[in-house]
């Protein structure tokens, strides 16, 4: 089954480019949205396999959106994308990650492939279920 990804990022050109890249790799993009409220709504309604979430968003940030997603019951893995090299951003994202190890990978945009590898290696569901990332890579 094709993995379904939800992309939440405020930069339209980045959303378009990353969506095309993922589709070429056989990864389904459920939606690519720039609005955090819409992203949270889609995550809870559609249950994507993975969420790609920008860490810096206008009016809020990815950490706050991550917390909203977890409160809303969204338990899927999340790859947080950032251009920041500030260690405090990474620590804050990991602290908001949730209860399960492997829930969140924080990567800079130029380390995207490594982020997939980290998420794939850290997938944890409490069952013997195979990671949907395994099928897409």
């Amino acid at each position: 089954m094709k993995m379904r990804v939800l992309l939440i990022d405020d930069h339209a050109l980045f959303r378009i480019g990353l969506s095309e890249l993922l589709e070429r790799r056989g990864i389904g993009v459920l939606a690519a949205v720039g609005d955090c409220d819409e992203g949270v709504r889609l995550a809870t309604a559609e249950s994507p396999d993975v969420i790609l979430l920008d860490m810096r968003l206008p009016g809020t940030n990815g950490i706050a959106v991550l917390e909203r997603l977890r409160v809303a019951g969204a338990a899927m893995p999340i790859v947080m994308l950032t251009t920041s090299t500030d260690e405090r951003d990474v620590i804050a994202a990991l602290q908001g990650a949730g209860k399960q190890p492997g829930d969140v990978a924080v990567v800079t945009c130029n380390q995207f492939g490594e982020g997939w590898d980290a998420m794939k290696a850290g997938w944890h569901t409490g069952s013997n279920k195979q990671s949907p990332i395994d099928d897409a890579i």
Side-chain angles (χ1 to χ4, degrees), residues 6-7 14 40 47 58 64 77 89-91 108 111 120:
L6 171 62
L7 173 59
F14 182 77
V40 171
S47 296
D89 288 339
V90 174
I91 291 169
T108 60
Q111 297 173 319
K120 183 177 167 182

Side-chain angles (χ1 to χ4, degrees), residues 1-126:
M1 185 165 107
K2 189 176 193 180
M3 180 173 54
R4 298 177 328 134
V5 171
L6 171 62
L7 173 59
I8 305 171
D9 192 290
D10 61 310
H11 294 95
L13 288 176
F14 182 77
R15 286 194 314 268
I16 293 166
L18 185 55
S19 293
E20 289 179 8
L21 175 70
L22 292 170
E23 292 286 350
R24 279 188 297 211
R25 292 193 70 183
I27 299 168
V29 178
L30 172 69
V33 299
D35 178 82
C36 298
D37 293 333
E38 178 69 1
V40 171
R41 187 193 70 73
L42 284 168
T44 56
E46 301 293 332
S47 296
D49 296 308
V50 177
I51 297 175
L52 304 179
L53 175 61
D54 188 4
M55 191 175 286
R56 296 183 189 253
L57 298 158
T60 187
N61 60 53
I63 296 163
V65 175
L66 170 61
E67 291 169 355
R68 285 180 57 198
L69 287 163
R70 294 304 188 226
V71 167
M76 67 285 295
I78 296 175
V79 176
M80 293 194 67
L81 305 171
T82 184
T83 57
S84 174
T85 57
D86 188 338
E87 187 175 296
R88 292 173 293 187
D89 288 339
V90 174
I91 291 169
L94 294 174
Q95 287 174 337
K99 298 175 185 69
Q100 296 179 345
D103 274 353
V104 175
V106 181
V107 298
T108 60
C109 292
N110 62 352
Q111 297 173 319
F112 185 72
E114 293 172 27
W116 276 117
D117 292 342
M119 187 64 70
K120 183 177 167 182
W123 177 266
H124 177 78
T125 62

